[in-house]
Amino acid sequence: MKKIHIHLISLTLGLFSLSAQAAVLLYEPFDYTANQPIAGKGGSESGFDGSSTWSENALGTTEITSGSANFGSLVTTGNKFHYINSFGSSNYDHLAYASRAMNVSASSGDLYLTFLLQGPSGVRLNGGVYINGSVKEFGATRTEYFDEQRNASPDRPHVFFADQSTSAGANPVTATTYMYVQKYTGLGTASGGTAQLWLIDSSQYDIIAADGIVNTADLDANCLTSTSVLTLAGAAPTLDGSEQLRLLLHDYGGGNSDYTLDEIRIATTLHEAMDIVPEPSSAALLGLAGLALTLRRRR
């Protein structure tokens, strides 16, 4: 019996370990040398092409800033990324970005993208993170504050999917760090793929993370703002490993733009994307109890 108990304990720990480590496809903590531009930085970071490095299109100023972002109970590592565009009001169409080749494949199911973003008090927040595909500029997922080509509302966060978008109902507060949580469903389907975006602050994150359980209902109940569910009119794209991750800064024509960005994650579950260790499943525990009872009877 002792051997059986040992095996059950090992199996239980193994199940919990797997649930806490499922598929994080990409993680960028910006663990690079501080006080330098991001151009040329790279290495073996998870989810990127190992031979690639970050590049810039020279329309803005980037810097790796010392220390990771603080965000409630979220464990952060490395440093953080700072982006500023100071071209002023005469350069409405400037799109500044840093980009790096990814090595992520996702052909079906759901996909989640999260990151931390903060702008200084009184300065227009006008950028974000998106995935740039090989077929169109807009790949499988895209999120940004504002896209003037689509006449989006300034400052209101938008979620983009397959060249379609929807905006949130409220503007973020500057000088506050938010986690942008995006959910994309139906990758690879002929129609019906969906996208949605939530903004949560650190206190809301701690509420959600407290019991180790997170779902869209928790996000709906604990967020500053969210978008409606965007349902695609056509096919939902996939990730085939040929995309780039881009950090965007857009001068909307009314002055400087500025933000600090950190902790980018792409994952196949919401728990991993938000770095929340899930509670042990009661169903899994009942299954293990049943297995123990069966083994005991056979004994």
Side-chain angles (χ1 to χ4, degrees), residues 8-33:
L8 286 174
I9 291 171
S10 298
L11 177 59
T12 302
L13 292 175
L15 286 173
F16 295 165
S17 176
L18 285 174
S19 69
Q21 297 178 13
V24 177
L25 303 179
L26 181 146
Y27 175 50
E28 176 57 278
F30 299 103
D31 192 12
Y32 309 120
T33 303

Side-chain angles (χ1 to χ4, degrees), residues 8-175:
L8 286 174
I9 291 171
S10 298
L11 177 59
T12 302
L13 292 175
L15 286 173
F16 295 165
S17 176
L18 285 174
S19 69
Q21 297 178 13
V24 177
L25 303 179
L26 181 146
Y27 175 50
E28 176 57 278
F30 299 103
D31 192 12
Y32 309 120
T33 303
N35 304 316
Q36 294 182 6
I38 198 172
K41 303 295 188 296
S44 57
E45 291 78 21
S46 175
F48 292 99
D49 180 337
S51 63
S52 71
T53 58
W54 284 99
S55 63
E56 304 175 55
N57 69 345
L59 294 177
T61 301
T62 71
E63 183 181 45
I64 302 300
T65 304
S66 179
S68 60
N70 295 318
F71 196 74
S73 60
L74 177 69
V75 177
T76 60
T77 63
N79 293 314
K80 52 187 175 287
F81 172 76
H82 182 216
Y83 213 159
I84 184 169
N85 182 338
S86 57
F87 292 109
S89 59
S90 62
N91 293 281
Y92 186 86
D93 292 324
H94 274 314
L95 291 175
Y97 56 81
S99 61
R100 185 177 175 190
M102 295 168 51
N103 185 21
V104 172
S105 296
S107 59
S108 62
D110 299 341
L111 196 68
Y112 299 86
L113 169 62
T114 64
F115 56 86
L116 303 182
L117 189 69
Q118 176 190 356
S121 179
V123 176
R124 178 78 62 156
L125 283 166
N126 207 15
V129 177
Y130 70 97
I131 296 170
N132 186 51
S134 57
V135 177
K136 297 180 178 180
E137 178 187 0
F138 308 100
T141 62
R142 178 171 182 172
T143 276
E144 63 177 318
Y145 271 105
F146 172 59
D147 185 283
E148 55 88 14
Q149 294 175 346
R150 286 163 183 74
N151 297 313
S153 302
D155 285 344
R156 292 191 179 180
H158 285 66
V159 61
F160 287 75
F161 198 28
D163 212 13
Q164 299 170 51
S165 70
T166 185
S167 63
N171 297 337
V173 178
T174 58

